[in-house]
Amino acid sequence: MSVATLPDTGTQTDSLASGETATDVPWVVIVWNDPVNLMSYVSYVFQSYFGYSESKANQLMMQVHHDGKTVVATGPREEAERHTLAMHSYGLWATFQKADQA
């Protein structure tokens, strides 16, 4: 990916390298630590929504607790958007971004 500057604006835009499409770039869903939700609830959400085992869900929850965030899913942008909205519906703080920025 390269960065180009729009003429007469100074605004930079990203352009994809040849052969690379926007759907080829993986996206990640990040769940952030918050002062509201119990650790057991966060683990429950990971199990019920993503279908993670109790062990995997607890591991991800502990990463959120200790590191302040964790990646819970990777995939195309549309899927990342859907997962992020789902996390919001459960009351969790979540964002999505390109995987190379995580």
Side-chain angles (χ1 to χ4, degrees):
M1 182 174 298
S2 64
V3 176
T5 302
L6 296 176
D8 301 323
T9 66
T11 303
Q12 292 185 336
T13 61
D14 292 335
S15 62
L16 296 172
S18 98
E20 184 179 4
T21 66
T23 57
D24 292 337
V25 178
W27 292 74
V28 293
V29 178
I30 300 170
V31 172
W32 299 85
N33 194 25
D34 66 61
V36 178
N37 293 295
L38 296 174
M39 293 189 299
S40 59
Y41 176 70
V42 174
S43 181
Y44 162 79
V45 170
F46 294 164
Q47 289 175 67
S48 62
Y49 179 78
F50 292 108
Y52 290 137
S53 67
E54 183 177 359
S55 173
K56 175 71 173 177
N58 285 336
Q59 175 190 5
L60 292 170
M61 174 273 298
M62 290 305 290
Q63 281 184 305
V64 171
H65 181 69
H66 290 293
D67 301 337
K69 66 179 182 176
T70 194
V71 172
V72 294
T74 303
R77 181 183 174 124
E78 294 79 16
E79 188 176 285
E81 289 174 357
R82 187 172 52 254
H83 292 325
T84 300
L85 289 174
M87 293 299 98
H88 293 170
S89 73
Y90 281 99
L92 301 183
W93 293 357
T95 58
F96 67 95
Q97 67 188 38
K98 291 180 183 176
D100 60 357
Q101 297 173 348

Coordinates of all heavy atoms in Angstrom, one line a residue:
M1 N 0.8 -1.2 0.0 CA 0.0 0.0 0.0 C 0.9 1.2 0.0 O 1.9 1.3 0.7 CB -0.9 0.0 1.2 CG -1.8 1.2 1.2 SD -3.1 1.1 2.6 CE -4.0 -0.3 2.2
S2 N 0.5 2.2 -0.8 CA 1.3 3.4 -0.8 C 0.4 4.6 -0.4 O -0.8 4.5 -0.4 CB 1.8 3.7 -2.2 OG 0.7 3.9 -3.1
V3 N 1.0 5.7 0.0 CA 0.3 6.9 0.4 C 0.5 8.0 -0.7 O 1.6 8.2 -1.1 CB 0.8 7.4 1.7 CG1 0.1 8.7 2.1 CG2 0.6 6.4 2.8
A4 N -0.6 8.6 -1.2 CA -0.5 9.6 -2.1 C -1.1 10.9 -1.5 O -2.0 10.8 -0.7 CB -1.3 9.2 -3.4
T5 N -0.6 12.0 -2.0 CA -1.1 13.3 -1.6 C -2.0 13.9 -2.7 O -1.6 14.0 -3.8 CB 0.0 14.3 -1.2 OG1 0.8 13.7 -0.2 CG2 -0.5 15.6 -0.7
L6 N -3.2 14.3 -2.3 CA -4.1 14.9 -3.3 C -3.6 16.3 -3.7 O -3.2 17.0 -2.8 CB -5.6 15.0 -2.7 CG -6.3 13.7 -2.3 CD1 -7.6 14.0 -1.7 CD2 -6.5 12.9 -3.6
P7 N -3.6 16.6 -4.9 CA -3.1 17.9 -5.4 C -3.8 19.0 -4.8 O -5.0 19.0 -4.6 CB -3.4 17.8 -6.9 CG -3.7 16.4 -7.3 CD -4.2 15.8 -6.0
D8 N -3.1 20.1 -4.4 CA -3.6 21.3 -3.9 C -4.3 21.2 -2.6 O -5.0 22.2 -2.2 CB -4.5 22.0 -4.9 CG -3.8 22.3 -6.2 OD1 -2.6 22.7 -6.2 OD2 -4.4 22.2 -7.3
T9 N -4.3 20.0 -1.9 CA -5.0 19.9 -0.6 C -4.1 19.5 0.5 O -4.4 19.8 1.7 CB -6.1 18.8 -0.7 OG1 -5.5 17.6 -0.9 CG2 -7.1 19.1 -1.8
G10 N -3.0 18.9 0.2 CA -2.2 18.4 1.3 C -2.7 17.2 2.0 O -2.2 16.7 2.9
T11 N -3.9 16.7 1.5 CA -4.5 15.5 2.1 C -3.9 14.2 1.6 O -3.8 14.1 0.4 CB -6.1 15.5 1.8 OG1 -6.6 16.8 2.3 CG2 -6.8 14.4 2.5
Q12 N -3.6 13.3 2.5 CA -3.0 12.1 2.1 C -4.1 11.0 2.0 O -5.0 11.0 2.8 CB -1.9 11.6 3.1 CG -0.7 12.5 3.0 CD 0.4 12.0 3.9 OE1 0.2 11.2 4.8 NE2 1.6 12.4 3.5
T13 N -4.0 10.1 1.0 CA -4.9 9.0 0.9 C -4.1 7.8 0.7 O -3.0 7.8 0.2 CB -5.8 9.2 -0.4 OG1 -5.0 9.3 -1.5 CG2 -6.6 10.5 -0.3
D14 N -4.7 6.6 1.1 CA -4.1 5.3 0.9 C -4.4 4.8 -0.5 O -5.6 4.9 -0.9 CB -4.5 4.3 1.9 CG -4.0 4.7 3.3 OD1 -3.0 5.4 3.4 OD2 -4.7 4.3 4.3
S15 N -3.5 4.2 -1.2 CA -3.9 3.5 -2.4 C -3.3 2.1 -2.3 O -2.2 1.9 -1.8 CB -3.3 4.3 -3.6 OG -1.9 4.3 -3.6
L16 N -4.0 1.2 -2.8 CA -3.6 -0.2 -2.7 C -2.6 -0.6 -3.8 O -2.6 -0.1 -4.9 CB -4.9 -1.1 -2.9 CG -5.9 -1.0 -1.8 CD1 -7.2 -1.8 -2.1 CD2 -5.4 -1.4 -0.5
A17 N -1.7 -1.4 -3.4 CA -0.6 -1.9 -4.3 C -1.3 -2.7 -5.5 O -2.4 -3.2 -5.3 CB 0.4 -2.8 -3.6
S18 N -0.7 -2.8 -6.6 CA -1.3 -3.5 -7.7 C -1.6 -4.9 -7.4 O -0.8 -5.6 -6.7 CB -0.3 -3.4 -8.9 OG 0.4 -4.6 -9.0
G19 N -2.8 -5.3 -7.8 CA -3.3 -6.7 -7.5 C -3.9 -6.9 -6.1 O -4.5 -7.9 -5.8
E20 N -3.8 -5.9 -5.3 CA -4.4 -6.0 -3.9 C -5.7 -5.2 -3.9 O -5.8 -4.1 -4.4 CB -3.4 -5.3 -2.9 CG -3.8 -5.4 -1.5 CD -2.8 -4.8 -0.5 OE1 -1.8 -4.2 -1.0 OE2 -3.0 -4.9 0.7
T21 N -6.7 -5.8 -3.4 CA -8.0 -5.2 -3.3 C -8.4 -4.9 -1.8 O -7.8 -5.5 -0.9 CB -9.1 -6.1 -3.9 OG1 -9.3 -7.2 -3.1 CG2 -8.8 -6.4 -5.3
A22 N -9.4 -4.1 -1.6 CA -9.8 -3.7 -0.2 C -10.2 -5.0 0.5 O -10.0 -5.0 1.8 CB -10.9 -2.7 -0.2
T23 N -10.8 -6.0 -0.1 CA -11.2 -7.1 0.6 C -10.1 -8.1 0.9 O -10.3 -9.0 1.7 CB -12.3 -7.9 -0.3 OG1 -11.7 -8.2 -1.5 CG2 -13.6 -7.1 -0.5
D24 N -8.9 -7.9 0.3 CA -7.8 -8.7 0.6 C -7.1 -8.3 1.9 O -6.4 -9.1 2.5 CB -6.7 -8.6 -0.5 CG -7.2 -9.3 -1.8 OD1 -8.1 -10.1 -1.7 OD2 -6.6 -8.9 -2.8
V25 N -7.3 -7.1 2.4 CA -6.7 -6.6 3.6 C -7.5 -7.2 4.8 O -8.7 -6.9 4.9 CB -6.7 -5.1 3.6 CG1 -6.1 -4.6 4.9 CG2 -6.0 -4.5 2.4
P26 N -6.9 -7.9 5.7 CA -7.6 -8.4 6.8 C -7.9 -7.3 7.8 O -7.1 -6.4 8.0 CB -6.7 -9.5 7.4 CG -5.3 -9.2 6.9 CD -5.5 -8.4 5.6
W27 N -9.0 -7.5 8.5 CA -9.4 -6.5 9.6 C -9.5 -7.3 10.9 O -9.7 -8.5 10.9 CB -10.7 -5.9 9.2 CG -10.6 -5.0 8.1 CD1 -10.5 -5.4 6.7 CD2 -10.6 -3.6 8.1 NE1 -10.4 -4.2 5.9 CE2 -10.5 -3.1 6.7 CE3 -10.7 -2.6 9.1 CZ2 -10.5 -1.8 6.4 CZ3 -10.7 -1.3 8.7 CH2 -10.6 -0.9 7.4
V28 N -9.2 -6.6 12.0 CA -9.3 -7.2 13.3 C -10.4 -6.5 14.1 O -10.6 -5.3 14.0 CB -8.0 -7.2 14.1 CG1 -7.0 -8.1 13.4 CG2 -7.4 -5.8 14.2
V29 N -11.0 -7.3 15.0 CA -12.0 -6.7 16.0 C -11.3 -6.7 17.3 O -10.7 -7.7 17.8 CB -13.2 -7.5 16.1 CG1 -14.2 -7.0 17.1 CG2 -13.9 -7.6 14.7
I30 N -11.2 -5.5 18.0 CA -10.5 -5.4 19.2 C -11.6 -5.1 20.3 O -12.4 -4.2 20.1 CB -9.5 -4.2 19.2 CG1 -8.4 -4.5 18.1 CG2 -8.8 -4.0 20.6 CD1 -7.5 -3.4 17.8
V31 N -11.5 -5.8 21.4 CA -12.3 -5.5 22.6 C -11.4 -4.9 23.6 O -10.3 -5.4 23.9 CB -13.0 -6.8 23.1 CG1 -13.7 -6.5 24.5 CG2 -14.0 -7.3 22.1
W32 N -11.9 -3.8 24.2 CA -11.1 -3.0 25.1 C -11.6 -3.2 26.5 O -12.8 -3.4 26.8 CB -11.3 -1.5 24.7 CG -10.7 -1.2 23.4 CD1 -11.4 -1.3 22.2 CD2 -9.4 -0.8 23.0 NE1 -10.6 -1.0 21.1 CE2 -9.4 -0.6 21.6 CE3 -8.3 -0.5 23.8 CZ2 -8.2 -0.2 21.0 CZ3 -7.1 -0.1 23.1 CH2 -7.1 0.0 21.7
N33 N -10.7 -3.0 27.5 CA -11.1 -3.1 28.9 C -12.0 -1.9 29.2 O -11.9 -0.8 28.7 CB -9.8 -3.0 29.8 CG -10.1 -3.4 31.2 OD1 -11.0 -4.2 31.5 ND2 -9.2 -3.0 32.1
D34 N -12.9 -2.1 30.1 CA -13.8 -1.1 30.6 C -14.1 -1.2 32.1 O -13.9 -2.3 32.6 CB -15.1 -1.1 29.8 CG -16.0 -2.3 30.0 OD1 -16.4 -2.5 31.1 OD2 -16.3 -3.0 29.0
P35 N -14.5 -0.2 32.7 CA -14.7 -0.3 34.2 C -16.1 -0.8 34.5 O -16.5 -0.8 35.7 CB -14.6 1.2 34.6 CG -15.1 2.0 33.4 CD -14.6 1.2 32.2
V36 N -16.9 -1.3 33.6 CA -18.3 -1.6 33.8 C -18.5 -3.1 33.9 O -19.2 -3.6 34.8 CB -19.2 -1.0 32.7 CG1 -20.6 -1.3 32.9 CG2 -19.0 0.5 32.7
N37 N -18.1 -3.8 32.9 CA -18.4 -5.2 32.7 C -17.6 -6.2 33.6 O -16.4 -6.0 33.7 CB -18.3 -5.7 31.3 CG -19.4 -5.0 30.4 OD1 -20.6 -5.2 30.6 ND2 -19.0 -4.1 29.5
L38 N -18.2 -7.2 34.2 CA -17.5 -8.2 35.0 C -16.7 -9.1 34.0 O -17.1 -9.3 32.9 CB -18.5 -9.0 35.7 CG -19.3 -8.3 36.8 CD1 -20.4 -9.3 37.4 CD2 -18.4 -7.8 37.9
M39 N -15.6 -9.6 34.5 CA -14.8 -10.5 33.7 C -15.6 -11.7 33.3 O -15.5 -12.2 32.2 CB -13.5 -10.9 34.5 CG -12.6 -9.7 34.7 SD -11.0 -10.1 35.3 CE -11.4 -10.9 36.9
S40 N -16.4 -12.2 34.2 CA -17.2 -13.4 33.8 C -18.2 -13.1 32.7 O -18.5 -14.0 31.8 CB -18.0 -13.9 35.1 OG -18.8 -12.9 35.6
Y41 N -18.7 -11.9 32.7 CA -19.7 -11.5 31.6 C -18.9 -11.4 30.2 O -19.4 -11.9 29.2 CB -20.3 -10.2 31.9 CG -21.2 -9.7 30.8 CD1 -22.4 -10.4 30.5 CD2 -20.9 -8.6 30.0 CE1 -23.3 -10.0 29.5 CE2 -21.7 -8.2 29.0 CZ -22.9 -8.9 28.7 OH -23.7 -8.5 27.7
V42 N -17.7 -10.8 30.2 CA -16.9 -10.7 29.0 C -16.6 -12.1 28.5 O -16.8 -12.4 27.3 CB -15.6 -9.9 29.3 CG1 -14.8 -9.9 28.0 CG2 -16.0 -8.5 29.7
S43 N -16.2 -13.0 29.3 CA -16.0 -14.4 28.9 C -17.3 -15.0 28.4 O -17.2 -15.7 27.3 CB -15.5 -15.2 30.1 OG -15.2 -16.5 29.7
Y44 N -18.4 -14.8 29.0 CA -19.7 -15.3 28.5 C -20.0 -14.8 27.1 O -20.4 -15.6 26.3 CB -20.8 -14.9 29.5 CG -22.2 -15.0 28.9 CD1 -22.8 -16.3 28.8 CD2 -22.8 -13.9 28.4 CE1 -24.0 -16.4 28.2 CE2 -24.1 -14.0 27.8 CZ -24.7 -15.2 27.7 OH -25.9 -15.3 27.1
V45 N -19.8 -13.5 26.9 CA -20.0 -13.0 25.6 C -19.1 -13.6 24.5 O -19.6 -14.0 23.4 CB -19.8 -11.4 25.6 CG1 -19.8 -10.9 24.1 CG2 -20.8 -10.7 26.4
F46 N -17.9 -13.8 24.8 CA -17.0 -14.4 23.8 C -17.4 -15.9 23.5 O -17.3 -16.3 22.4 CB -15.5 -14.4 24.4 CG -14.9 -13.1 24.5 CD1 -13.8 -12.9 25.2 CD2 -15.5 -11.9 23.9 CE1 -13.2 -11.6 25.4 CE2 -14.9 -10.7 24.0 CZ -13.7 -10.5 24.7
Q47 N -17.9 -16.6 24.6 CA -18.4 -17.9 24.3 C -19.7 -18.0 23.5 O -19.8 -18.7 22.6 CB -18.6 -18.6 25.7 CG -17.3 -19.0 26.4 CD -17.7 -19.6 27.8 OE1 -18.2 -20.7 27.9 NE2 -17.3 -18.8 28.8
S48 N -20.6 -17.1 23.9 CA -21.9 -17.2 23.3 C -21.9 -16.6 21.9 O -22.6 -17.2 21.0 CB -23.0 -16.5 24.2 OG -22.7 -15.2 24.4
Y49 N -21.2 -15.5 21.7 CA -21.3 -14.9 20.3 C -20.3 -15.6 19.4 O -20.7 -15.9 18.3 CB -21.0 -13.4 20.4 CG -21.0 -12.8 19.1 CD1 -22.2 -12.5 18.4 CD2 -19.8 -12.5 18.4 CE1 -22.2 -11.9 17.2 CE2 -19.8 -12.0 17.1 CZ -21.1 -11.7 16.5 OH -21.1 -11.1 15.2
F50 N -19.1 -15.7 19.8 CA -18.0 -16.3 18.9 C -18.0 -17.8 18.9 O -17.4 -18.4 18.0 CB -16.7 -15.7 19.2 CG -16.5 -14.2 18.9 CD1 -16.5 -13.3 19.9 CD2 -16.5 -13.8 17.6 CE1 -16.3 -12.0 19.6 CE2 -16.3 -12.4 17.3 CZ -16.3 -11.5 18.3
G51 N -18.6 -18.4 19.9 CA -18.5 -19.9 20.0 C -17.2 -20.4 20.6 O -16.9 -21.6 20.4
Y52 N -16.4 -19.5 21.2 CA -15.1 -20.0 21.8 C -15.4 -20.9 23.0 O -16.4 -20.8 23.7 CB -14.3 -18.8 22.3 CG -13.8 -17.9 21.2 CD1 -13.9 -16.5 21.3 CD2 -13.2 -18.4 20.0 CE1 -13.4 -15.7 20.2 CE2 -12.7 -17.6 19.0 CZ -12.8 -16.2 19.1 OH -12.3 -15.4 18.1
S53 N -14.4 -21.8 23.2 CA -14.5 -22.7 24.3 C -14.3 -21.8 25.6 O -13.9 -20.7 25.5 CB -13.4 -23.7 24.3 OG -12.1 -23.0 24.4
E54 N -14.7 -22.4 26.7 CA -14.6 -21.6 28.0 C -13.1 -21.2 28.2 O -12.8 -20.1 28.6 CB -15.1 -22.5 29.1 CG -15.0 -21.7 30.5 CD -15.6 -22.5 31.6 OE1 -16.1 -23.6 31.4 OE2 -15.6 -22.0 32.7
S55 N -12.2 -22.1 27.9 CA -10.8 -21.9 28.1 C -10.3 -20.7 27.2 O -9.6 -19.8 27.7 CB -10.0 -23.2 27.8 OG -8.6 -22.9 27.8
K56 N -10.7 -20.7 25.9 CA -10.3 -19.7 25.0 C -10.9 -18.4 25.4 O -10.2 -17.3 25.3 CB -10.7 -20.1 23.5 CG -10.4 -19.0 22.5 CD -8.9 -18.9 22.2 CE -8.7 -17.9 21.0 NZ -7.3 -17.7 20.8
A57 N -12.2 -18.4 25.7 CA -12.9 -17.2 26.1 C -12.2 -16.6 27.4 O -12.0 -15.3 27.4 CB -14.3 -17.5 26.4
N58 N -11.9 -17.4 28.3 CA -11.2 -16.9 29.5 C -9.8 -16.3 29.2 O -9.4 -15.3 29.8 CB -11.1 -18.0 30.6 CG -12.4 -18.3 31.2 OD1 -13.3 -17.4 31.3 ND2 -12.6 -19.5 31.8
Q59 N -9.1 -17.0 28.3 CA -7.8 -16.5 27.9 C -7.9 -15.1 27.3 O -7.2 -14.2 27.6 CB -7.1 -17.4 26.9 CG -5.8 -17.0 26.4 CD -5.3 -17.8 25.2 OE1 -6.0 -18.7 24.7 NE2 -4.1 -17.5 24.7
L60 N -8.9 -14.9 26.4 CA -9.1 -13.6 25.8 C -9.5 -12.6 26.8 O -9.1 -11.4 26.8 CB -10.1 -13.7 24.6 CG -9.6 -14.5 23.4 CD1 -10.8 -14.8 22.5 CD2 -8.5 -13.8 22.7
M61 N -10.4 -13.0 27.7 CA -10.9 -12.0 28.7 C -9.7 -11.6 29.6 O -9.6 -10.4 29.9 CB -12.0 -12.7 29.6 CG -12.4 -11.9 30.8 SD -11.4 -12.2 32.3 CE -11.7 -13.9 32.6
M62 N -8.8 -12.5 29.9 CA -7.7 -12.1 30.8 C -6.7 -11.2 30.0 O -6.1 -10.3 30.6 CB -6.9 -13.4 31.2 CG -7.7 -14.2 32.3 SD -8.2 -13.2 33.7 CE -6.7 -12.9 34.5
Q63 N -6.6 -11.3 28.7 CA -5.8 -10.4 27.9 C -6.4 -9.0 28.0 O -5.7 -8.0 28.1 CB -5.7 -10.8 26.5 CG -4.7 -11.9 26.2 CD -4.6 -12.2 24.8 OE1 -5.5 -12.6 24.1 NE2 -3.4 -12.2 24.2
V64 N -7.7 -8.9 27.9 CA -8.4 -7.6 28.0 C -8.2 -7.0 29.4 O -7.8 -5.9 29.5 CB -10.0 -7.8 27.8 CG1 -10.7 -6.5 28.1 CG2 -10.3 -8.2 26.3
H65 N -8.3 -7.9 30.4 CA -8.1 -7.4 31.8 C -6.7 -6.9 32.0 O -6.5 -5.8 32.6 CB -8.5 -8.5 32.7 CG -8.4 -8.2 34.2 ND1 -9.2 -7.2 34.8 CD2 -7.5 -8.6 35.1 CE1 -8.9 -7.1 36.0 NE2 -7.8 -7.9 36.3
H66 N -5.7 -7.7 31.6 CA -4.3 -7.3 31.9 C -3.7 -6.3 30.9 O -2.9 -5.5 31.3 CB -3.4 -8.6 32.0 CG -3.7 -9.4 33.2 ND1 -3.5 -9.0 34.5 CD2 -4.3 -10.6 33.3 CE1 -3.9 -9.9 35.3 NE2 -4.4 -11.0 34.6
D67 N -4.0 -6.5 29.6 CA -3.3 -5.7 28.6 C -4.2 -4.5 28.1 O -3.7 -3.7 27.3 CB -3.0 -6.6 27.3 CG -2.0 -7.7 27.7 OD1 -1.3 -7.6 28.7 OD2 -2.0 -8.7 26.9
G68 N -5.4 -4.5 28.5 CA -6.3 -3.4 28.2 C -7.1 -3.6 26.9 O -8.0 -2.9 26.6
K69 N -6.7 -4.7 26.1 CA -7.4 -5.0 24.9 C -7.0 -6.4 24.4 O -6.0 -6.9 24.9 CB -7.1 -4.0 23.8 CG -5.6 -4.0 23.4 CD -5.3 -3.0 22.3 CE -3.9 -3.1 21.8 NZ -3.6 -2.2 20.7
T70 N -7.8 -6.9 23.5 CA -7.4 -8.1 22.8 C -8.1 -8.2 21.4 O -9.2 -7.6 21.3 CB -7.7 -9.4 23.6 OG1 -7.1 -10.5 23.1 CG2 -9.2 -9.7 23.7
V71 N -7.5 -8.9 20.5 CA -8.1 -9.2 19.2 C -9.0 -10.4 19.4 O -8.5 -11.5 19.8 CB -7.1 -9.4 18.1 CG1 -7.7 -9.8 16.8 CG2 -6.3 -8.1 17.9
V72 N -10.3 -10.3 19.1 CA -11.2 -11.4 19.2 C -11.6 -12.0 17.9 O -12.2 -13.1 17.9 CB -12.5 -11.0 20.0 CG1 -12.1 -10.7 21.4 CG2 -13.2 -9.8 19.3
A73 N -11.4 -11.3 16.8 CA -11.7 -11.9 15.5 C -10.9 -11.2 14.4 O -10.5 -10.0 14.5 CB -13.2 -11.7 15.2
T74 N -10.7 -11.9 13.3 CA -10.0 -11.4 12.1 C -10.8 -11.8 10.9 O -11.3 -13.0 10.8 CB -8.6 -12.0 12.0 OG1 -7.9 -11.7 13.2 CG2 -7.8 -11.4 10.9
G75 N -10.9 -10.9 9.9 CA -11.6 -11.3 8.7 C -11.8 -10.1 7.8 O -11.2 -9.0 8.0
P76 N -12.7 -10.2 6.8 CA -13.0 -9.1 6.0 C -13.7 -7.9 6.7 O -14.2 -8.1 7.8 CB -14.0 -9.6 4.9 CG -14.3 -11.0 5.3 CD -13.5 -11.4 6.5
R77 N -13.6 -6.7 6.1 CA -14.1 -5.5 6.8 C -15.6 -5.7 7.2 O -16.0 -5.3 8.3 CB -13.9 -4.3 5.9 CG -14.4 -3.0 6.6 CD -14.3 -1.8 5.7 NE -15.0 -0.7 6.4 CZ -14.4 0.4 6.7 NH1 -13.1 0.6 6.3 NH2 -15.0 1.4 7.3
E78 N -16.4 -6.2 6.3 CA -17.8 -6.3 6.6 C -18.1 -7.1 7.8 O -18.9 -6.9 8.7 CB -18.6 -6.8 5.4 CG -18.6 -5.9 4.2 CD -17.3 -5.9 3.4 OE1 -16.5 -6.9 3.6 OE2 -17.1 -5.0 2.6
E79 N -17.3 -8.2 7.9 CA -17.5 -9.1 9.1 C -17.0 -8.4 10.4 O -17.6 -8.6 11.4 CB -16.6 -10.4 8.8 CG -16.8 -11.5 9.8 CD -16.0 -12.7 9.4 OE1 -16.5 -13.4 8.5 OE2 -15.0 -13.0 10.0
A80 N -15.9 -7.7 10.3 CA -15.4 -7.0 11.4 C -16.4 -5.9 11.9 O -16.6 -5.8 13.1 CB -14.0 -6.3 11.1
E81 N -17.0 -5.2 11.0 CA -18.0 -4.3 11.3 C -19.2 -4.9 12.1 O -19.7 -4.5 13.1 CB -18.6 -3.6 10.1 CG -17.6 -2.6 9.4 CD -18.1 -2.0 8.1 OE1 -19.2 -2.4 7.7 OE2 -17.4 -1.2 7.6
R82 N -19.6 -6.1 11.5 CA -20.7 -6.8 12.1 C -20.4 -7.3 13.6 O -21.2 -7.1 14.5 CB -21.1 -8.0 11.2 CG -22.3 -8.8 11.7 CD -22.8 -9.8 10.7 NE -21.8 -10.8 10.3 CZ -21.1 -10.7 9.1 NH1 -21.5 -9.9 8.2 NH2 -20.2 -11.6 8.8
H83 N -19.2 -7.8 13.7 CA -18.8 -8.3 15.1 C -18.6 -7.1 16.0 O -19.0 -7.2 17.2 CB -17.4 -9.0 15.0 CG -17.4 -10.3 14.3 ND1 -18.5 -11.2 14.3 CD2 -16.5 -10.9 13.5 CE1 -18.3 -12.3 13.6 NE2 -17.0 -12.1 13.1
T84 N -18.1 -6.0 15.6 CA -18.0 -4.8 16.4 C -19.3 -4.3 16.9 O -19.5 -4.0 18.1 CB -17.2 -3.7 15.7 OG1 -15.9 -4.2 15.3 CG2 -17.1 -2.5 16.5
L85 N -20.3 -4.3 16.0 CA -21.7 -3.9 16.4 C -22.3 -4.8 17.4 O -23.0 -4.5 18.3 CB -22.5 -3.7 15.1 CG -22.2 -2.5 14.3 CD1 -23.1 -2.5 13.0 CD2 -22.4 -1.2 15.0
A86 N -22.0 -6.1 17.2 CA -22.5 -7.1 18.1 C -21.9 -6.9 19.5 O -22.6 -7.0 20.5 CB -22.2 -8.5 17.6
M87 N -20.6 -6.7 19.6 CA -20.0 -6.4 20.9 C -20.6 -5.2 21.5 O -20.8 -5.2 22.7 CB -18.5 -6.2 20.7 CG -17.7 -7.5 20.3 SD -17.8 -8.9 21.4 CE -19.2 -9.8 20.6
H88 N -20.9 -4.2 20.8 CA -21.6 -3.0 21.3 C -23.0 -3.4 21.9 O -23.4 -2.9 22.9 CB -21.7 -1.9 20.2 CG -20.4 -1.3 19.8 ND1 -20.4 -0.5 18.7 CD2 -19.2 -1.4 20.3 CE1 -19.1 -0.1 18.5 NE2 -18.4 -0.7 19.5
S89 N -23.7 -4.3 21.1 CA -25.0 -4.6 21.6 C -24.9 -5.4 22.9 O -25.9 -5.4 23.7 CB -25.7 -5.5 20.5 OG -25.2 -6.8 20.4
Y90 N -23.8 -6.0 23.2 CA -23.6 -6.7 24.5 C -23.1 -5.7 25.6 O -22.8 -6.1 26.7 CB -22.6 -7.9 24.3 CG -23.1 -9.1 23.7 CD1 -22.9 -9.4 22.4 CD2 -23.8 -10.0 24.5 CE1 -23.4 -10.6 21.9 CE2 -24.3 -11.2 24.0 CZ -24.1 -11.5 22.6 OH -24.6 -12.6 22.1
G91 N -22.8 -4.5 25.2 CA -22.3 -3.5 26.1 C -20.8 -3.5 26.3 O -20.3 -2.9 27.2
L92 N -20.1 -4.1 25.4 CA -18.6 -4.1 25.4 C -18.1 -3.0 24.5 O -18.7 -2.6 23.5 CB -18.1 -5.5 24.9 CG -18.5 -6.7 25.7 CD1 -17.8 -7.9 25.2 CD2 -18.2 -6.6 27.2
W93 N -16.9 -2.5 24.9 CA -16.2 -1.5 24.1 C -15.4 -2.2 23.1 O -14.5 -3.0 23.4 CB -15.3 -0.6 25.0 CG -16.0 0.2 26.0 CD1 -17.4 0.4 26.1 CD2 -15.4 1.1 26.9 NE1 -17.6 1.3 27.1 CE2 -16.4 1.7 27.7 CE3 -14.1 1.3 27.3 CZ2 -16.2 2.6 28.7 CZ3 -13.8 2.2 28.3 CH2 -14.9 2.9 29.0
A94 N -15.7 -2.0 21.8 CA -15.0 -2.7 20.7 C -14.8 -1.7 19.5 O -15.6 -0.8 19.3 CB -15.8 -3.9 20.3
T95 N -13.7 -2.0 18.8 CA -13.4 -1.3 17.6 C -12.9 -2.3 16.6 O -12.6 -3.4 16.9 CB -12.3 -0.2 17.8 OG1 -11.1 -0.8 18.3 CG2 -12.8 0.9 18.8
F96 N -12.8 -1.8 15.3 CA -12.1 -2.6 14.3 C -11.2 -1.8 13.5 O -11.3 -0.6 13.4 CB -13.2 -3.3 13.4 CG -14.0 -2.4 12.5 CD1 -13.6 -2.1 11.2 CD2 -15.1 -1.8 13.0 CE1 -14.3 -1.3 10.4 CE2 -15.8 -0.9 12.2 CZ -15.4 -0.7 10.9
Q97 N -10.1 -2.4 13.0 CA -9.1 -1.7 12.2 C -8.4 -2.7 11.3 O -8.5 -3.9 11.5 CB -8.2 -1.0 13.1 CG -7.3 -2.0 13.9 CD -6.5 -1.2 15.0 OE1 -6.9 -0.3 15.6 NE2 -5.3 -1.7 15.2
K98 N -7.6 -2.2 10.4 CA -6.8 -3.0 9.5 C -5.9 -3.8 10.4 O -5.3 -3.3 11.3 CB -6.1 -2.2 8.5 CG -7.0 -1.6 7.4 CD -6.2 -0.8 6.4 CE -7.1 -0.1 5.4 NZ -6.3 0.7 4.5
A99 N -5.7 -5.1 10.0 CA -4.8 -5.9 10.8 C -3.4 -5.4 10.9 O -2.7 -5.6 12.0 CB -4.8 -7.4 10.3
D100 N -2.9 -4.8 9.9 CA -1.5 -4.3 9.9 C -1.3 -3.1 10.8 O -0.2 -2.7 11.1 CB -1.0 -4.0 8.5 CG -1.8 -2.9 7.8 OD1 -2.8 -2.4 8.4 OD2 -1.4 -2.6 6.7
Q101 N -2.4 -2.6 11.4 CA -2.3 -1.5 12.3 C -2.5 -1.9 13.8 O -2.3 -1.1 14.7 CB -3.4 -0.4 12.0 CG -3.2 0.2 10.7 CD -4.4 1.1 10.3 OE1 -5.5 1.1 11.0 NE2 -4.3 1.9 9.3
A102 N -2.8 -3.2 14.0 CA -3.1 -3.6 15.3 C -1.9 -3.8 16.2 O -0.8 -4.0 15.7 CB -3.8 -5.0 15.2

